[in-house]
Amino acid sequence: MKDRDDDEFFAPVLREPPPADGEVSDTGVPGVHGAGHGQWAQEPPPPNRLGLRLLGAGLALLAGVVLAVLALLAGRPALAVPAAVVALAAAVYLVAFGVRRFRSNGGPPTFG
């Protein structure tokens, strides 16, 4: 592949990064200033407990659906009921979590 001057991927800014001794904006491009000051927001990371609860709810939803379908395919609808209840409870939890998060303007990031 030839280096082409008109190719935006091989722009001089990307080939030759700006020197670190001058003022560098939050865009990283000299002379092009963004809205910020080049510093990350100092928000605390989310607790791991929240991520683990969401992961558990997602796995419970998946396992409940799979087990309910397998029980129905095996011709044992009585075994499908508990699995379907687990899947339904996990789905309700995930939807309720999403609605709460949406109403609170997103909150902190779930997974850091």
Side-chain angles (χ1 to χ4, degrees):
M1 180 176 199
K2 294 190 291 185
D3 287 335
R4 294 175 40 177
D5 291 333
D6 61 344
D7 190 356
E8 65 181 274
F9 183 76
F10 293 104
V13 172
L14 296 176
R15 278 188 269 148
E16 301 165 9
D21 56 336
E23 180 182 340
V24 178
S25 70
D26 57 347
T27 62
V29 179
V32 178
H33 295 285
H37 301 289
Q39 298 174 356
W40 294 98
Q42 297 297 323
E43 294 181 10
N48 286 338
R49 185 177 55 222
L50 175 64
L52 292 176
R53 276 193 337 218
L54 290 175
L55 178 64
L59 290 175
L61 176 64
L62 178 65
V65 168
V66 168
L67 290 176
V69 168
L70 287 176
L72 288 175
L73 290 175
R76 307 190 102 191
L79 290 178
V81 172
V85 168
V86 167
L88 183 64
V92 166
Y93 173 76
L94 290 173
V95 168
F97 176 81
V99 168
R100 266 194 331 260
R101 195 165 182 85
F102 177 74
R103 289 186 179 162
S104 69
N105 259 350
T110 304
F111 301 102

